[in-house]
Amino acid sequence: MAILKILHYPDERLCRAAKRVELVSEVTRKLVRDMAKTMYAAPGVGLAATQVDVHEQVAVIDVSEERNQLKVFINPEIIASSGEKECEEGCLSVPGIYEMVRRAEKITVRALDENGQSFTLEAEGFLAVCIQHEIDHLHGKVFVEYLSRLKQIRIRAKLKKRLRETM
Ligand code: NI
């Protein structure tokens, strides 16, 4: 298993929309394993393939305290949603930035697992937030795009400054 390099906002590759996985193969499963390892090592609660510069609809999430309940979403689609809730979000691609984002409170998601089996999951609370956040990544959207233009400019400036300092 390999730890993959995570792209940082405002890298334009984060804006690419991922393609659907036509066949869940051993290659897909290796990607899932590497993404899980990368997420746990970061550490983070979710990671979309887009963030590691693979533009396929694959995401991994683990919101458990014990870090032992990996959820794999291939070709995820939100088929129902209700309510609204504001929650503080962060992102491995936007290090050190935490902002409030308004999203659906409850969702039903349909996806394939790492064996290519279709499943549906009803989620609420933090898990629902994470699923919506990761699906956004697969559509080329980073959570800061929900913020005001001024905030986005400030976040870009902050991350560029930090990047210069670490080079
Ligand atoms: Ni993210």
Side-chain angles (χ1 to χ4, degrees), residues 125-142:
F126 190 53
L127 178 59
V129 170
C130 289
I131 293 169
Q132 292 173 84
H133 178 119
E134 300 313 329
I135 290 177
D136 272 353
H137 274 304
L138 299 177
H139 295 158
K141 186 166 183 174
V142 179

Side-chain angles (χ1 to χ4, degrees), residues 24-132:
V24 178
S25 66
E26 194 46 49
V27 177
T28 318
R29 284 185 280 277
K30 180 177 188 307
L31 173 65
V32 166
R33 288 195 296 273
D34 288 347
M35 284 174 57
K37 188 170 184 182
T38 304
M39 175 186 75
Y40 288 126
V45 293
L47 188 69
T50 309
Q51 292 176 274
V52 293
D53 202 21
V54 176
H55 301 279
E56 290 177 29
Q57 292 183 17
V58 178
V60 293
I61 291 176
D62 189 343
V63 295
S64 71
E65 251 172 61
E66 302 78 14
R67 316 291 281 147
N68 60 1
Q69 287 170 47
L70 182 70
K71 289 186 165 63
V72 177
F73 299 88
I74 298 169
N75 301 340
E77 274 180 275
I78 292 170
I79 54 174
S81 64
S82 64
E84 255 191 17
K85 204 178 178 190
E86 213 174 25
C87 182
E88 191 178 63
E89 294 187 26
C91 179
L92 293 174
S93 292
V94 197
I97 306 290
Y98 300 90
E99 295 284 349
M100 299 299 282
V101 177
R102 186 176 296 275
R103 296 189 187 270
E105 189 177 14
K106 291 183 184 178
I107 58 161
T108 305
V109 62
R110 183 169 55 206
L112 302 177
D113 66 14
E114 67 271 40
N115 298 312
Q117 297 294 312
S118 176
F119 67 94
T120 60
L121 175 72
E122 285 181 31
E124 57 185 307
F126 190 53
L127 178 59
V129 170
C130 289
I131 293 169
Q132 292 173 84

